[in-house]
Amino acid sequence: NRNTFKRVMQKLTLDLKSFGLVDLSLFTVDGTKIRAQNSKNNTISLTTIEKKMEYVNEQIEKFVSFMTEESSETTKIEEKLSHYNELKSKYEQQKQILIDEKLETKALNDEDSRKMKNHGTLEMCYNVQSVVESKNHFILEIDTTNNINDENQLYDMTLKTRDLLCNEHDEITVMADTGYYNCLEIKKCIDEKIKVIIKKSKANNSTKESMFKKDRFIYDKEKDVYICPNDKNLGFFENS
């Protein structure tokens, strides 16, 4: 019972506060991926369904061609055709479910889980968020989401913790890793007078400056050059 468990956790957290065992000035937010109760065989994806439908259609065409020829195994061919037509109908239904729910992947057993990167591999998981205080490292707040990353969790988790434990004028600081770096989330925290300590995400280029991303270079068709963010022309040349 999720709601009951949550109330028990909140009561325990308030008891820890009353005993003076938690530091309410500094929180750390972090997430961990918990594997869902779902095997890979019970997971459907648009890519996999397309491949399966391609195979099924090939088999249907093959057995239909056999039906046009004289054969002593007509009954077996009809059974095969019936089997592949049932599979085709099943895959079409699964594909429509994904399209209607605007999903790329879905678990058939644990339907709320999502495919996430977990220990270097992609697995059907949940993203469990937790807030830990700095004095005795007690967990103050916990929540489970199916968002595949942590980018949109900083403000929500911090505010839940503050509203549960802190007074309106308490000064608090929240600390998180690069996975939580989201300008909008940081701004919302600052607007609530919450200090944020977070490592800026790395740039995806050799200069380590995020302004020099590929989509920021503008092509000038008349001059046949690219204009970089520093307003410099980059012409084509070849070394041979």
Side-chain angles (χ1 to χ4, degrees), residues 26-146:
L26 178 62
F27 305 146
T28 300
V29 183
D30 203 1
T32 186
K33 306 298 192 304
I34 303 296
R35 188 175 176 183
Q37 191 66 32
N38 190 86
S39 69
K40 291 182 178 180
N41 292 333
N42 287 320
T43 303
I44 58 174
S45 70
L46 287 174
T47 304
T48 303
I49 290 173
E50 291 290 352
K51 291 180 180 179
K52 288 181 177 180
M53 288 183 67
E54 183 179 350
Y55 171 76
V56 166
N57 286 330
E58 289 175 356
Q59 297 304 306
I60 290 174
E61 289 179 7
K62 182 176 75 173
F63 285 107
V64 166
S65 66
F66 290 162
M67 289 288 289
T68 59
E69 302 172 0
E70 292 185 7
S71 175
S72 58
E73 299 183 345
T74 302
T75 303
K76 290 184 178 180
I77 293 173
E78 288 176 346
E79 290 175 355
K80 288 287 187 180
L81 271 174
S82 176
H83 169 69
Y84 284 115
N85 278 315
E86 287 177 4
L87 284 178
K88 183 178 180 179
S89 177
K90 174 185 173 182
Y91 297 148
E92 286 175 343
Q93 291 175 7
Q94 291 177 347
K95 182 179 179 179
Q96 193 59 49
I97 289 172
L98 291 174
I99 292 172
D100 291 343
E101 297 182 13
K102 298 180 180 179
L103 296 174
E104 173 64 32
T105 307
K106 181 175 182 176
L108 298 179
N109 288 350
D110 211 339
E111 295 186 358
D112 292 328
S113 61
R114 297 290 181 267
K115 184 173 284 188
M116 305 179 189
K117 191 172 183 180
N118 187 30
H119 301 299
T121 61
L122 290 174
E123 295 180 325
M124 300 304 294
C125 295
Y126 288 97
N127 186 355
V128 178
Q129 296 289 312
S130 57
V131 179
V132 178
E133 53 85 33
S134 58
K135 186 177 181 179
N136 290 305
H137 304 161
F138 284 117
I139 296 175
L140 304 178
E141 181 65 50
I142 191 168
D143 200 5
T144 304
T145 176
N146 56 15

